[in-house]
Amino acid sequence: MTVTVIGIGLIGGSLALDLKAAGFAGSVIGVESNPAHAGDALRLGLVDEVCDFDKGIRNADLVIVSVPVDATADLLPRILDTIRHDAVVADVGSTKKAVCDAVRRHSKRGRFVATHPIAGTEHSGPGAALRGLFKNKLCLLCDPEQSDAEALERVRAMYEAVGMRCMTMDAADHDRHAAYVSHISHVTSFVLATTVLEMEKSASTIFDLAGSGFESTVRLAKSSPDMWTPIFLQNAAFVCEALDAYIRNITEFRNEIARGGRDELRSTMESANRIRRILAGMNSQNHTGEPDTIGKES
Ligand code: NAP
């Protein structure tokens, strides 16, 4: 099968690598507008060739769109216009409702499968691509009833080939869950890094005093603004809802400290400790492939 990847960065490049290694893709074509990144993708062996948009899409059995979510919504109608009638298109974007809305009435909507592989790092570009990034992770297939059954099966087979398990979910439900479990963590990390940089003007003090707790909490602040700005804007309603709840809790925590409320503080943190059990369950599910609770295993 010929797979064309539009946007050979972290996710597109990692998928390209694993699909070749698994034998799912006989050939991988990259579409990449930045010549330096196109050269890196070829040098690193992520793709077999790089070609222009129209040629890359016309020659594909499967097109993977792995660019920022605003560019995905812009490009999708043109991609569906251009694909062969039997080809399939899947996006990998971190928001789903706006992307699905962009092609809701397209005559070839059935050839599109909206997906979100839940795997990644804070790095970007072709140099960030990793083998095995998707192994034992979850992929969400959104609004599956809008896709042709055969298109959905081709995309499911692709994710299973790189070691993922798949679950179906409504696109709006996806965006609400993503706001709470992913997008708000990124906001928190960006804002924490901004606050510390504002208050601690000397980088050497941060470097000397920062422990592993600080480093792990601000890790996500290294993520690409090009990728995250459109995610926050496309999912603004749910992200703001999640932030309102977060701001209420952080204000309450601040007030407990200011009041010297030892018992309240202890009790708030004991409640927060329950996250340990949830994360332990999640990690064991990643290894066993047991069903998750936020969508429908399929
Ligand atoms: P990335 O490493 O920055 O790669 C993005 C790719 O998109 C690059 O090839 C870039 O080309 C291209 N691009 C950027 N702006 C574009 C535009 N306006 N038009 C066309 N192409 C454009 O990003 P990534 O982490 O792989 O993310 C790709 C997609 O995966 C996003 O939709 C993101 O929401 C989703 N996703 C990310 C993660 C994660 O953890 N990173 C996880 C799951 C899903 P240049 O070479 O020209 O910059």
Side-chain angles (χ1 to χ4, degrees), residues 145-167:
E145 69 290 347
Q146 302 290 323
S147 302
D148 295 348
E150 174 265 330
L152 193 65
E153 285 321 304
R154 198 179 303 177
V155 172
R156 188 197 308 274
M158 172 189 81
Y159 282 119
E160 288 176 355
V162 297
M164 299 195 98
R165 67 195 167 95
C166 293
M167 185 178 282

Side-chain angles (χ1 to χ4, degrees), residues 5-14 31-38 53 65-72 74-75 91-96 99 115-129 133-134 182-183 186 220 223-224 226-228 230-231:
V5 179
I6 302 181
I8 322 162
L10 166 70
I11 299 295
S14 302
V31 174
E32 172 59 61
S33 53
N34 178 332
H37 285 172
F53 185 88
V65 188
S66 185
V67 299
V69 290
D70 54 346
T72 302
D74 286 347
L75 287 175
D91 83 310
V92 297
S94 307
T95 58
K96 292 274 63 88
V99 167
T115 84
H116 182 188
I118 313 286
T121 71
E122 67 277 24
H123 304 297
S124 52
L133 178 68
F134 306 99
S182 165
H183 303 173
H186 283 80
L220 299 176
S223 303
S224 158
D226 290 339
M227 187 182 112
W228 280 96
I231 293 173

